[in-house]
Amino acid sequence: MSAKPAGKPGRASDLERIAALSDDEIEAMARADADNPATRREDWAKAFIGLPPQKTPVNAKFDEDVVTWFKAQGRGYQTRMNAVLRHYMETHRKTG
């Protein structure tokens, strides 16, 4: 079986080609896809399904070297800073 690379999303020919595939063919394509590795049940054991918390803008001041370090890691530095703060909060939050 040789599948053509998909064209632009939504093209009728691609949708028709996909609709014509059997479940076994789809499973075989998924197993052969290096960008889509198989998962195991335990990979999903701690999965959380839900909406991300709503963001709120704040005016905060951080040490220059801290911001410089996060920015040096590439795009998304504010998201990473938020993740660090969230981890700290969750680790130190008192329950009950």
Side-chain angles (χ1 to χ4, degrees):
M1 174 179 85
S2 64
K4 296 187 319 185
K8 293 182 182 177
R11 282 188 21 196
S13 61
D14 290 335
L15 296 177
E16 290 167 3
R17 182 177 56 83
I18 292 167
L21 295 173
S22 71
D23 288 346
D24 289 339
E25 290 172 315
I26 293 170
E27 290 292 330
M29 289 172 64
R31 281 192 301 275
D33 186 352
D35 292 330
N36 183 30
T39 58
R40 301 172 311 238
R41 183 178 300 270
E42 51 270 16
D43 294 333
W44 295 95
K46 294 182 181 179
F48 174 78
I49 300 173
L51 295 173
Q54 188 173 359
K55 305 285 188 207
T56 184
V58 296
N59 181 10
K61 296 195 181 274
F62 297 99
D63 294 339
E64 186 175 345
D65 60 333
V66 171
V67 175
T68 300
W69 185 84
F70 273 94
K71 282 185 172 182
Q73 308 311 306
R75 291 182 51 144
Y77 76 96
Q78 291 174 326
T79 300
R80 285 189 299 282
M81 291 174 76
N82 187 71
V84 169
L85 290 169
R86 171 166 295 286
H87 180 73
Y88 183 88
M89 176 192 76
E90 290 173 352
T91 301
H92 294 84
R93 184 183 344 206
K94 292 184 170 67
T95 58

